[in-house]
Amino acid sequence: MTTIPDLTAAESTSDRRIKSFRSIPAPDTIRAELPLTARRAIAVQKDRDEIADILAGRDDRLLVVVGPCSVHDPIAAIDYARRLAPLAADHADRLKIVMRVYFEKPRTTVGWKGLINDPGMDGSFDVERGLRTARSLLLDIIDLGLPVGCEFLEPTSPQYIADAVAWGAIGARTTESQVHRQLASGLSMPVGFKNGTDGNVQVAIDGVKAAAAGHVFFGVDDFGRGAVVETAGNQDCHVILRGGTSGPNHDPESVSAAVASLAKAGLPERIMIDCSHANSGKDHVRQAEVAEEIAAAVRATRAAGNPVTISGVMLESFLEPGAQSPDAQPLTYGQSVTDKCMGWETSAAVLATLARS
Ligand SMILES: O=C[C@H](O)[C@H](O)COP(=O)(O)O
Ligand SMILES: C=C(OP(=O)(O)O)C(=O)O
């Protein structure tokens, strides 16, 4: 019998490019430390139901997902939420306002990947602190009476926070990813799929169809153990038009084309429009104009007695207009460290315009 000698570290074919593994607490540990509680759970479920009703056309309000491109400073995020909450209440008969609370940033190449990945923004990657900070912020925002919306990027991060989230997004860079479509099929809230960065809307429609089906895939359970996950499918998914490399796609022709493709796919003929990203050329001043154009289009459709196919709008908005580098010293309070955002005054004016539509 031949004996196989143990390989030395230098001979091993495993982990040749892994520098370290750091364990983190299991999802149920962090959730138990920062419990959702029955009162908040009731609020989250009510918000999810209202959002699903808007997306299905059972409620004719406009869904508005508004907030910073990314959260880097929880104090500024709460400050923003305190200003948004009374506006959300004032406009509640016409708009369903959800605060954008994005903790995970997909990058075109490299860059800061968000508060969960690197809460110190200094390369220390204290993911455990990032998870606790993120969860705690979500609970505080819910306590102000606002539903929250997050992009889901890491396939296992939802286990730590998704119970507090009323609406989710799959971004343009991951909309075609089977892993993210499977993830969406098991998420408990409505989920929007962005069109691809090249402007391809069909990949988002395919994402919605894939997520509506049940799937079986690799994941982790509540105790952080590797598991085979079986999902039931998510029927509350929709498409988000965000423009692409060939230009914006919020104009009436692009919206009609997207709606026709949804009809062809047998899906509800309703979409959300992202006023930022490629629809505004990442220009926050232009973003407000795009929102005005959408408000005008919705008004015209209603006036003509036609069905409104734009059921939601996304806005990138923070306390201060524009953006700064994440490396700025000192950082400007309330200003984005990723994409440019509308400042607070403009955001409030845009919400009022959307409410009038
Ligand atoms: O919304 C944020 C950004 O557009 C997205 O994360 C990509 O950013 P990047 O192109 O700066 O990496
Ligand atoms: C990353 C985002 O958008 P997109 O996926 O459309 O680039 C975002 O909304 O933060």
Side-chain angles (χ1 to χ4, degrees):
M1 200 174 91
T2 349
T3 48
I4 301 169
D6 284 345
L7 296 177
T8 64
E11 290 164 339
S12 170
T13 52
S14 294
D15 298 342
R16 302 289 296 190
R17 295 194 171 98
I18 304 293
K19 287 166 85 174
S20 69
F21 288 100
R22 263 185 290 145
S23 44
I24 51 172
D28 80 326
T29 307
I30 299 230
R31 291 206 309 259
E33 274 172 31
L34 296 162
L36 185 63
T37 71
R39 184 178 47 79
R40 294 191 189 110
I42 290 166
V44 171
Q45 194 50 51
K46 182 168 176 289
D47 288 326
R48 289 175 178 174
D49 291 343
E50 288 181 29
I51 294 165
D53 282 348
I54 293 171
L55 295 167
R58 296 185 290 267
D59 177 335
D60 70 354
R61 288 180 297 167
L62 188 67
L63 172 63
V64 182
V65 178
V66 56
C69 178
S70 53
V71 170
H72 68 279
D73 171 3
I75 295 174
I78 273 290
D79 189 351
Y80 181 93
R82 286 209 178 94
R83 297 187 202 195
L84 185 63
L87 281 194
D90 287 351
H91 295 310
D93 55 338
R94 291 169 180 207
L95 306 179
K96 176 72 186 169
I97 293 183
V98 173
M99 180 164 157
R100 225 187 107 106
V101 191
Y102 276 32
F103 298 121
E104 300 188 283
K105 296 310 294 175
R107 305 311 306 228
T108 304
T109 51
V110 290
W112 180 66
K113 290 190 212 141
L115 183 132
I116 291 180
N117 184 266
D118 188 12
M121 285 169 59
D122 55 2
S124 54
F125 303 106
D126 189 348
V127 172
E128 186 172 334
R129 176 159 77 88
L131 285 168
R132 286 200 174 88
T133 308
R135 185 167 174 85
S136 161
L137 179 63
L138 292 181
L139 301 185
D140 289 345
I141 294 174
I142 292 171
D143 287 345
L144 292 172
L146 282 173
V148 296
C150 293
E151 173 166 345
F152 293 110
L153 185 59
E154 294 287 349
T156 49
S157 66
Q159 301 280 62
Y160 291 86
I161 57 170
D163 55 333
V165 176
W167 175 88
I170 301 297
R173 290 161 189 75
T174 46
T175 206
E176 209 170 354
S177 144
Q178 176 156 294
V179 171
H180 291 80
R181 292 170 172 185
Q182 291 170 166
L183 166 65
S185 79
L187 287 171
S188 306
M189 75 293 294
V191 173
F193 281 81
K194 297 266 191 113
N195 65 252
T197 53
D198 60 356
N200 185 331
V201 177
Q202 189 58 44
V203 291
I205 295 175
D206 292 344
V208 170
K209 282 198 97 163
H215 292 272
V216 176
F217 55 94
F218 283 45
V220 294
D221 66 13
D222 285 343
F223 309 105
R225 296 175 305 210
V228 173
V229 184
E230 183 172 1
T231 63
N234 186 345
Q235 274 80 43
D236 296 325
C237 294
H238 64 97
V239 166
I240 309 174
L241 299 182
R242 50 84 80 198
T245 38
S246 50
N249 61 7
H250 65 280
D251 56 286
E253 294 71 33
S254 304
V255 171
S256 301
V259 167
S261 303
L262 284 167
K264 200 168 152 209
L267 293 169
E269 296 168 40
R270 271 174 292 274
I271 45 112
M272 174 182 279
I273 296 181
D274 176 0
C275 300
S276 188
H277 299 99
N279 275 334
S280 65
K282 289 199 174 184
D283 170 357
H284 58 295
V285 178
R286 176 73 192 126
Q287 193 191 161
E289 294 165 6
V290 171
E292 304 265 346
E293 287 165 24
I294 293 166
V298 171
R299 266 197 306 275
T301 310
R302 284 200 203 280
N306 292 326
V308 178
T309 52
I310 301 171
S311 53
V313 165
M314 175 180 283
L315 304 167
E316 289 195 304
S317 141
F318 208 2
L319 300 175
E320 296 298 328
Q324 60 189 323
S325 161
D327 301 324
Q329 292 287 345
L331 286 167
T332 300
Y333 177 76
Q335 191 176 49
S336 176
V337 297
T338 45
D339 287 348
K340 290 179 188 162
C341 293
M342 296 184 295
W344 177 252
E345 282 74 26
T346 307
S347 306
V350 166
L351 290 174
T353 304
L354 289 171
R356 281 195 298 275
S357 74

